[in-house]
Amino acid sequence: MNIASSVAKLLLVASCFAVWAADTRTLPVGYCQWTAVQFEIREPLCAMEGDARRGREIAADTHLGNCIACHQMPIPERDFHGSLGPPLHNVAARYTEAQLRMRIVDERQINPATVMPGFYADPRRANRVMDEYWDKTILGAQQVEDVIAYLKTLN
């Protein structure tokens, strides 16, 4: 057996173990289940109402949403705005609230090759995450709804 074949078998076993481990972990306390239908999450997470002011703060905060690391946004007090993702000016004119929620919660369900993290994706499916995020979401449900409320003002 050559080395490439051995490595391929090892990777297959490791990926099978990762799927098994993901299926046996429990969801964190307070995690709200969500359902995607046609690339939309139509109901607010945990039936929460977002606050646009808090959402703007989360989007600009380098320790929370940090949206401006990858997106240009109408947040002039921040010097650096990324260009990896599309500009978010007028994003509410392009996407419905349900579509925005899907993109923030788990963009990989729309685009599996994206580098955008799933801010409220099922943490049991995560792999290669920092210890502080193991079995957790990046943002809480309220924070996600706050960011959505802010993005809805950008039209």
Side-chain angles (χ1 to χ4, degrees):
M1 184 180 322
N2 64 30
I3 292 176
S5 175
S6 297
V7 170
K9 287 180 182 180
L10 180 62
L11 289 174
L12 178 62
V13 169
S15 66
C16 290
F17 177 77
V19 169
W20 171 80
D23 290 341
T24 62
R25 293 185 298 180
T26 60
L27 287 169
V29 174
Y31 181 82
C32 302
Q33 292 285 359
W34 48 269
T35 302
V37 177
Q38 297 178 338
F39 303 112
E40 297 179 333
I41 300 174
R42 297 178 180 157
E43 299 299 321
L45 301 176
C46 304
M48 294 179 170
E49 187 173 320
D51 177 277
R53 181 192 53 75
R54 285 191 315 248
R56 186 181 191 279
E57 291 171 7
I58 292 165
D61 190 320
T62 58
H63 299 292
L64 287 173
N66 199 20
C67 303
I68 69 169
C70 295
H71 301 277
Q72 294 178 8
M73 300 183 75
I75 303 178
E77 66 273 16
R78 290 290 305 271
D79 293 332
F80 175 77
H81 292 252
S83 59
L84 182 63
L88 296 182
H89 301 280
N90 302 316
V91 72
R94 297 191 306 269
Y95 298 108
T96 66
E97 178 179 336
Q99 291 168 331
L100 288 170
R101 187 173 293 108
M102 181 77 251
R103 290 179 178 281
I104 294 168
V105 167
D106 192 0
E107 171 70 17
R108 289 187 183 186
Q109 298 225 2
I110 298 167
N111 176 7
T114 187
V115 296
M116 182 171 165
F119 287 94
Y120 201 76
D122 183 336
R124 296 173 302 180
R125 299 182 60 94
N127 100 34
R128 291 183 284 178
V129 297
M130 293 172 52
D131 288 344
E132 65 186 283
Y133 293 110
W134 191 253
D135 285 338
K136 297 177 187 164
T137 58
I138 296 171
L139 294 178
Q142 182 64 64
Q143 292 170 315
V144 168
E145 292 303 323
D146 292 343
V147 171
I148 293 165
Y150 169 60
L151 293 176
K152 286 173 29 183
T153 70
L154 304 181
N155 52 19

